[in-house]
Each structure stands twice: as C-alpha cells, then as structure tokens.
C-alpha cells in the first residue's frame, strides 16, 4: 500500500473505533467531526487512485440504494405547489395549512385572524399609528416541502452520506487482504475498548458520563453512552467480528476447525498466538460490555448473530436471514397496530404486554409509527423528522419525547414512505445477492470465518 492509502486506512480504523467515545456520536459536534474525518479519508483515497477505481461493480450495487435515499431526502426538502403537495402528501399540506399563512397574506395579519378564530383578543395599532421599526408586509416565503422539518431532513441526508463515504472507503481499502484484516481488528478493538469503559463505569458509577459529564435523570451510563441499547448495538457487532477472527486463526487453510489446526495455532508463538491473545481479549471485553448493558435487544441480536456464525455449514440459510430479519421488523409494527383499542394504550397487543412497561411502550410507539406511515404512505414525513411528527399521534397528556421509534424499519417507512421502503428492499436484495449468495454458493466450499462473521454482525445490527 502507498503512504496515502495507509494513512487513509489508519484514519478509518481510528474513526470506526473512537467515534463511539464521543458520547455515541449522537451530538452535533461529534457528527460534524465524523463528517470531516470521512471527507479526509475520501480525499486521501482520491489522491492515490481515480474515483472509478474506488467503486467496484459490487460496491456500486450496494451503495446505489443508499445514494438514492439521500437524493430522495433532498427532494423531500424542495418546495412544491400547494395542489401537488396536497395530492402527494396530505399530512404535510395539512401541517402547513395550520402553521403557514396562505399566499398573499402577511404573517402578522394571518396570526391575528387565527387568534380571532380561536376567541383570542389581540390589540392592534390604529390606522394612524406609525409603523413599528423593522416591520413590513412580508409575504409568506416558507417552502411547502414534502418534509415537515426540512432542516432535520438535510441533516439526516448528511448522516446517510457520511455512512456511504465510510462504506466506499472501507470497501476500497479492503481489497488488500492485510488492510481487510486490520479493519476487522480495528472494529473488534473498538468494541473491546468500550467494554473496558463499561466495566470501569460500572465499578465507579457516580451519576456522570465518562466521570465528568452529568447524566440526564433516569439514565443508565454504559461506557460513553447514555442509552444501553445504543451501546449494545455497537459492541455486539465488534464482538461477532472478533469471534470470527479467532475462529479464522484457529481453523486450517480450508476453513475447517480441527484439533490439529487449533494446536498448531496455539503453539505458533510468533504469529498466531499473539493475535489470538489480542483479539481474544477484545472479544471477551466486548461480550462483558454487552452483558453489563442489560439490553435485552442487544442480547437477542447477538444471539441471532451467533446462530448465523454457528450455522456456517448450512450455507443456504445465509441469503434468507437478512430478508427474514427485515420482515420481522415490519411485522412487529403491524402486530402492534392490530386489534381493538383497549385501556389507555394503543392496541390490545400492547395491553397484553402490560406486565413489561418497556415492551408495552415500544409496542405502542410502533403502532403509532405505522399510523404516521399510513397518513402519508407515498412520500413519508421527511428523513430525520420523526421526533417532530411523532407528537401529532400522541394522546392528550402524553409528555414523553420519542427521538426514535426503536424500530429502524418502521421509522424509515414513516419518514421516507413507500419510496424509502422500496429502497430498503433493494438494499436488502443487493446485499443478499452480492454478498450472501456468493458466500453460500454451491461448490464454493466453506466461506471464510471472517466473511461469515461480518455477515452475522450486519444481521445482528439489523
């Protein structure tokens, strides 16, 4: 590898492992320096190779659905004529009708008229009163877009674009076998570091995040994360990748695990044994962090990944695993919205889970998320708008703010509509066809442990 590619590789490894230390990369400043890092990695790669060489046919097929989702998000921010907006997205048109003055009316006059309609008396200046400083008869200039929160949609597009840049860079660098293994070790190492922080935080918990930042009331710190589920989602991926690296080191050249091959690896003190100790330590720490998180979803996802890793000999299972997981995510929302209303919760299916408050709240939220989608099925409410649109389906008196639906499949469907759902189906199909089917191809022998572990990590994240 040339120097610029090596610099891009180590920067990418650092970003993949250390980005989670920025409080899970959920704050604006953390996201901004991640975007800067992604641009720097891309610049280093473009310096060493032309753009056409970075995108192989397989990479293009995997990137295209995500790139089109970014394009769709940008289209959601464009202002549209009122009739077109009402036809495509009645929800957005209704929201604008309640908050934005109609064409030809000034904002001040419109607000005064709205106050009168609601029985509110507003004192206005007489006709001879001088105009107030800085006031004009401004016409409404707010764009009537498909997204009810265009700023949030633009930020969501930036987040998706950042992830795509990371993916393209990793795919280009991973063509070199050494670089590929260094990337995987970097992912496992990042998860191991988070495991260390989780253990230290648990041992010295003082209601502060990383020992210097106060925590929100009722939160449980795990390493640098406030949310145990977000933490578990990261470390489960690194733990599975680390486990795949261990199995690859212990297996023979044909990928089979034998007592003889494991003995040879353990006796190889110059190459295999040091790597086994390093990666094994990362993996143990990552699993320890996963257990400390107490996230049931994280444990369930890790279990699904371990099943995929253990079912490596049943290669035909792999292509069906990813569509099955996506279908289960959609099914959870449909089940949550079925049945007759009961009590104060959304549906009977939620009431039946009343013994578990967390599960009941999630099921209730999933039913509401499906309602958001049904109110604007074609265009969605706009990428990144969930926090703001969710309040419209909450009941009177409900005060909890939901930033995410805790179901990425339903949230994407609600925010991007059927267009986003079709792009998600395309992405799942492309991954199954380009990655999982060749891995399970007839006559190809056993797939590499690292290949299967990476696929297991992807499925666990889903």
């Amino acid at each position: 590898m040339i120097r610029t590619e090596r610099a891009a590789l180590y920067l990418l490894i650092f970003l993949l492992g250390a980005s989670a230390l920025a409080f899970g990369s959920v704050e604006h400043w953390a996201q901004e320096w991640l975007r800067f890092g992604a641009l720097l990695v891309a610049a280093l790669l473009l310096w060493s190779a032309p753009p056409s060489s970075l995108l192989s046919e397989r990479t293009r097929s995997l990137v295209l659905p995500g790139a089109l989702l970014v394009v769709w998000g940008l289209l959601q921010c464009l202002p549209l004529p009122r009739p077109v907006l009402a036809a495509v997205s009645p929800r957005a048109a209704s929201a604008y009708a309640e908050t934005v003055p109609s064409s030809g009316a000034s904002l001040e006059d419109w607000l005064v008229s709205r106050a009168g309609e609601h029985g509110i008396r507003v004192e206005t200046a007489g006709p001879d009163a001088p105009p107030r400083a800085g006031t004009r008869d401004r016409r409404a200039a707010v764009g009537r877009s498909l997204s009810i929160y265009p700023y949030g949609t633009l930020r969501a597009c930036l987040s998706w674009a950042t992830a795509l840049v990371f993916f393209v860079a990793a795919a280009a660098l991973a063509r070199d076998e050494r670089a590929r293994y260094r990337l995987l070790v970097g992912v496992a190492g990042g998860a191991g570091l988070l495991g260390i922080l989780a253990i230290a935080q648990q041992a010295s918990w003082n209601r502060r995040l990383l020992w210097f930042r106060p925590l929100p009331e009722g939160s449980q710190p795990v390493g640098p994360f406030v949310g145990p589920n977000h933490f578990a989602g990261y470390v489960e991926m690194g733990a599975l990748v680390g486990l795949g690296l261990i199995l690859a080191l212990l297996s023979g050249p044909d990928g089979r695990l034998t007592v003889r091959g494991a003995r040879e690896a353990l006796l190889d003190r110059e190459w295999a044994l040091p790597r086994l100790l390093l990666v094994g330590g990362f993996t143990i720490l990552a699993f320890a962090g996963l257990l400390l998180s107490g996230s049931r979803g994280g444990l369930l996802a890790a279990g699904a990944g371990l099943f995929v890793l253990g079912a490596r000999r049943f290669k035909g299972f792999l292509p069906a695993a990813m569509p099955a997981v996506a279908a289960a995510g959609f099914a959870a929302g449909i089940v949550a919205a079925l049945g007759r209303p009961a009590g104060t919760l959304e549906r009977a299916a939620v009431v039946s889970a009343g013994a578990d408050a967390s599960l009941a709240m999630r099921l209730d939220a999933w039913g509401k998320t499906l309602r958001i989608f049904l109110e604007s099925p074609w265009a969605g409410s706009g990428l990144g708008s969930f926090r703001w649109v969710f309040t419209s389906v909450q009941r009177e008196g409900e005060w909890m703010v939901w930033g995410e639906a805790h179901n990425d499949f339903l949230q994407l469907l609600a925010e991007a509509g059927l267009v986003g759902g079709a792009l998600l189906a395309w992405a799942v199909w492309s991954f199954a066809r380009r990655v999982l089917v060749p891995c399970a191809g007839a006559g190809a022998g056993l797939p590499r442990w690292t290949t299967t572990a990476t696929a297991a990590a992807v499925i666990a994240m889903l």
Side-chain angles (χ1 to χ4, degrees), residues 285-303:
L285 290 169
F287 275 113
L290 179 61
L291 292 174
L292 285 175
S293 72
S295 170
R296 294 168 299 178
L299 293 174
L300 180 64

Side-chain angles (χ1 to χ4, degrees), residues 193-381:
L193 176 60
L194 290 178
I196 294 175
L197 288 174
I199 295 171
Q201 185 80 67
Q202 192 79 7
S204 60
W205 190 56
N206 61 350
R207 295 294 307 163
R208 290 181 177 273
L209 194 64
L210 283 181
W211 304 280
F212 61 85
R213 175 171 172 173
L215 290 170
E217 187 66 30
S219 60
Q220 175 187 348
V222 185
F225 290 73
V226 173
N229 295 311
H230 294 171
F231 175 86
Y234 190 99
V235 296
E236 76 195 15
M237 175 184 65
L240 289 168
V241 168
L243 191 57
L245 287 168
I246 292 173
L247 294 172
L249 290 169
L250 292 175
S251 63
D254 58 354
R256 298 182 184 277
L257 283 173
T258 62
V259 176
R260 180 181 178 181
R263 184 186 301 115
E264 291 178 354
L266 292 173
L267 293 177
D268 185 1
R269 298 183 178 180
E270 294 184 1
W271 192 87
L273 184 59
R275 287 163 175 78
L276 279 171
L277 293 175
L278 178 66
V279 178
F282 289 155
T283 306
I284 291 172
L285 290 169
F287 275 113
L290 179 61
L291 292 174
L292 285 175
S293 72
S295 170
R296 294 168 299 178
L299 293 174
L300 180 64
L306 289 172
F307 177 77
V308 173
L309 194 58
R312 192 175 71 120
R313 293 180 179 275
F314 306 102
K315 298 183 295 181
F317 166 78
L318 289 176
M322 192 167 172
V325 172
F330 288 121
I334 296 174
V335 170
L338 291 178
R340 297 184 307 173
T344 59
L345 293 176
E346 180 75 15
R347 298 297 184 212
V350 178
V351 177
S352 64
D356 188 331
S358 176
L359 178 59
M361 291 173 62
R362 290 171 190 271
L363 287 171
D364 185 46
W366 295 349
K368 293 175 180 175
T369 304
L370 192 62
R371 281 176 51 195
I372 296 174
F373 161 70
L374 293 176
E375 291 179 0
S376 185
W378 296 105
S381 62

